[in-house]
Amino acid sequence: MLRVTEVTEVDDSVVSALARLLPQLSRSAPPPTASSLGEIVSSPATRLLVAVEDDGKGEDPADQVVGTLTLAVFRIPSGVRAWIEDVVTDESARGRGVGEALTLHGLRLAREAGARTVELTSRPSREAANRLYRRLGFEIRETNIYRLDLAGS
């Protein structure tokens, strides 16, 4: 059975699960620490969601986490904005609705927080993810995304 929950406390199983999942999204991102995850969980602007698959076999709780999503919701002068970031479905669980369940849960939370729109980015090489986002109603925007590497400046 798959369920999506919000992480409200960081423990070893959360740290272990995110350390396993995040490299599947970005090979260059360092594994998150308990401290950095604690900052995410305690911030009023971010919500850390995990998808847990409980098959009743009594597995390690970290192994039961098959996906994650971070939702950022913040107020700016033009209204409440929401962004979905770092969506990862474990390679072993792809094609089973994990990304969809996480995204729908994130959209519900964004709506409840007063956001009128939700934005996200996805690399073109993530074909399945891009198909999912289009199927859920996301549209590609005509915009420029700029990035400045502050570590390299």
Side-chain angles (χ1 to χ4, degrees), residues 23-93:
Q24 296 179 48
L25 177 68
S26 170
R27 295 190 199 323
S28 64
T33 63
S35 176
S36 65
L37 291 172
E39 287 180 39
I40 293 168
V41 169
S42 65
S43 171
T46 51
R47 316 276 288 268
L48 179 61
L49 305 180
V50 291
V52 178
E53 195 167 60
D54 188 358
D55 58 7
K57 294 181 182 177
E59 297 173 10
D60 178 347
D63 293 337
Q64 295 177 331
V65 175
V66 293
T68 186
L69 175 149
T70 303
L71 175 69
V73 179
F74 50 95
R75 180 170 285 287
I76 57 174
S78 59
V80 176
R81 298 287 305 266
W83 277 85
I84 288 177
E85 293 286 346
D86 291 350
V87 181
V88 187
T89 297
D90 189 69
E91 292 167 341
S92 68

Side-chain angles (χ1 to χ4, degrees), residues 107-129:
L107 293 174
R108 183 179 57 77
L109 293 174
R111 189 175 291 111
E112 289 172 0
R116 290 189 334 230
T117 62
V118 176
E119 299 192 32
L120 58 79
T121 61
S122 185
R123 286 188 307 275
S125 62
R126 297 185 68 213
E127 294 175 8

